[in-house]
Amino acid sequence: MSGPLLRLVVLFGGVSAEHDVSCVTAAHVLAAADRAKYDLVPIGIAKDGTWLRNDKAIAALVEGGDLPDSLEPAGTVVDPLAVIRGDGQPNPTVVLPLLHGPHGEDGTIQGLLELFGVPYVGSGVLGSALCMDKAAAKIVAQQAGIPQCRWVEFRDGIDDSETVVARAVEQLGLPVFVKPANMGSSVGITKAHDAAELDRAIDIALRYDDVVVIEEAVVGREIEVAVLGTTSPETSVPGEILPGSDFYDYEDKYVTGAARLVIPAGIPDAATVEVQELAARAFAALRCSGLARVDFFYEEEGRGWLLNEVNTIPGFTPGSMYPKMWEATGLPYADLIDRLVTLALETHRRRAGFATDH
């Protein structure tokens, strides 16, 4: 590749409960990215919010060495604004945020990048914030006519827990799933089988957010679709999750590895087309851009497809569903990274052309 290398700043770690997941994701992305195309700059955000340039990882990348399975936010303390603006750097910069959960996936880092005019991979401020907040996402999906499971919202300091528990039991039945609205990787999720468990589950979810989503327990298959693009998004072949435990929780995803991933999912062709169309509709309705993993429940003998959630910074290790679905569709891991960087530059150029005055 002729000309200057593109400076690709990989942000990982962060201050959310999904810090460790992000560190694993970053190690795999850096290992797979084409070092002949990119000047790779791994920037870890420690749990206290300090930004650090991982000099050991940079040395390994330059020398062609191996990276660990998980990258620690360690090394030289750096100025966040200088890093993302590329102060003193001759090469153009694109930022790849791999910050799962709050303060990374929720529009906060995207807003910072927008303020300083830096191209970045993934959804913008609104799309990121909408998808991160499960309650807000459900309201928008409902308005867009996208089918989803029944749910009840609880807002701390506003709603009475006893009243909400009674309403949830009456409207949703039991058991139910209780989730913090702004969290991912199944952190803070509890399956409640009675009113007492539901009350305790709300308290657990409130450790992570002041808005809680209570959902009916759907008996159906868990099917996911990877989406890639902007105004005319592409969809992957669907994949199916077969949980190794009662539901697809954090341990199942990242510790025991007991869940089975089936790609492509064994569903009829007509059902595949339908879920791909629904995934693209959800992507557009929630103002997504770049990438998203759209998760569904499939009630084969009941309501059919029900939207579960949309994840704008999905797990991105080679063993994660998002890249595996694209690989099965014909787009290998390293090429997927290239596509995402290209989309980031295209989106930035399009937005930069909008008028800012009258």
Side-chain angles (χ1 to χ4, degrees):
M1 181 177 177
S2 60
L5 295 179
L6 181 68
R7 183 170 172 269
L8 185 59
V9 176
V10 177
L11 292 181
F12 67 96
V15 299
S16 84
E18 298 179 76
H19 175 100
D20 295 340
V21 178
S22 174
C23 293
V24 173
T25 299
H28 288 283
V29 168
L30 287 164
D34 190 341
R35 302 173 199 184
K37 294 180 180 177
Y38 306 116
D39 172 20
L40 296 167
V41 185
I43 301 294
I45 302 176
K47 292 181 180 179
D48 67 357
T50 304
W51 289 43
L52 304 112
R53 185 183 65 235
N54 193 313
D55 298 314
K56 286 186 177 180
I58 291 175
L61 291 165
V62 171
E63 296 164 7
D66 294 329
L67 294 172
D69 289 335
S70 179
L71 209 60
E72 292 299 317
T76 304
V77 175
V78 294
D79 174 9
L81 296 185
V83 167
I84 63 174
R85 290 184 309 208
D87 290 358
Q89 300 293 326
N91 298 347
T93 295
V94 171
V95 175
L96 173 54
L98 298 174
L99 302 168
H100 304 299
H103 305 293
E105 195 174 351
D106 58 357
T108 49
I109 194 70
Q110 291 79 11
L112 178 66
L113 296 167
E114 290 281 359
L115 280 172
F116 290 94
V118 180
Y120 59 92
V121 171
S123 294
V125 175
L126 178 58
S128 298
L130 272 177
C131 292
M132 189 75 247
D133 190 309
K134 295 179 179 66
K138 286 180 180 296
I139 292 169
V140 173
Q142 183 178 43
Q143 182 67 25
I146 297 170
Q148 56 190 332
C149 64
R150 294 173 296 144
W151 62 286
V152 169
E153 179 185 63
F154 173 80
R155 296 168 297 170
D156 192 33
I158 297 175
D159 296 323
D160 175 68
S161 61
E162 185 175 336
T163 301
V164 171
V165 166
R167 186 167 75 248
V169 171
E170 179 184 357
Q171 295 181 3
L172 310 180
L174 290 166
V176 292
F177 284 98
V178 184
K179 307 175 180 181
N182 286 275
M183 189 54 65
S185 294
S186 300
V187 173
I189 295 180
T190 306
K191 186 175 184 179
H193 300 82
D194 57 39
E197 282 189 4
L198 174 52
D199 192 55
R200 290 193 296 270
I202 290 173
D203 288 337
I204 292 171
L206 288 174
R207 298 174 190 172
Y208 302 97
D209 195 22
D210 56 5
V211 179
V212 176
V213 172
I214 305 166
E215 297 177 344
E216 65 170 315
V218 175
V219 179
R221 297 166 67 177
E222 296 187 41
I223 308 289
E224 302 181 346
V225 177
V227 185
L228 177 68
T230 52
T231 53
S232 300
E234 303 171 50
T235 54
S236 73
V237 298
E240 180 170 11
I241 304 235
L242 301 176
S245 56
D246 192 27
F247 65 97
Y248 193 37
D249 60 9
Y250 186 94
E251 295 288 312
D252 214 2
K253 289 179 181 178
Y254 304 112
V255 181
T256 65
R260 287 179 52 219
L261 311 181
V262 181
I263 306 170
I267 57 177
D269 291 345
T272 294
V273 171
E274 186 178 5
V275 75
Q276 288 173 326
E277 290 175 349
L278 279 172
R281 281 178 56 196
F283 187 88
L286 291 164
R287 303 289 184 88
C288 297
S289 180
L291 76 162
R293 194 194 68 233
V294 186
D295 303 347
F296 293 90
F297 296 118
Y298 185 35
E299 288 186 348
E300 294 178 275
E301 304 300 326
R303 291 170 289 180
W305 294 109
L306 301 171
L307 178 67
N308 180 16
E309 63 182 33
V310 179
N311 193 316
T312 56
I313 304 184
F316 211 89
T317 71
S320 299
M321 280 292 276
Y322 186 87
K324 283 177 73 71
M325 286 187 288
W326 276 119
E327 185 174 16
T329 309
L331 185 61
Y333 191 77
D335 293 341
L336 176 58
I337 294 171
D338 291 344
R339 285 286 304 279
L340 290 170
V341 171
T342 299
L343 286 168
L345 290 168
E346 290 175 355
T347 300
H348 179 72
R349 282 193 292 267
R350 187 176 71 252
R351 290 176 177 167
F354 294 150
T356 56
D357 58 20
H358 54 274

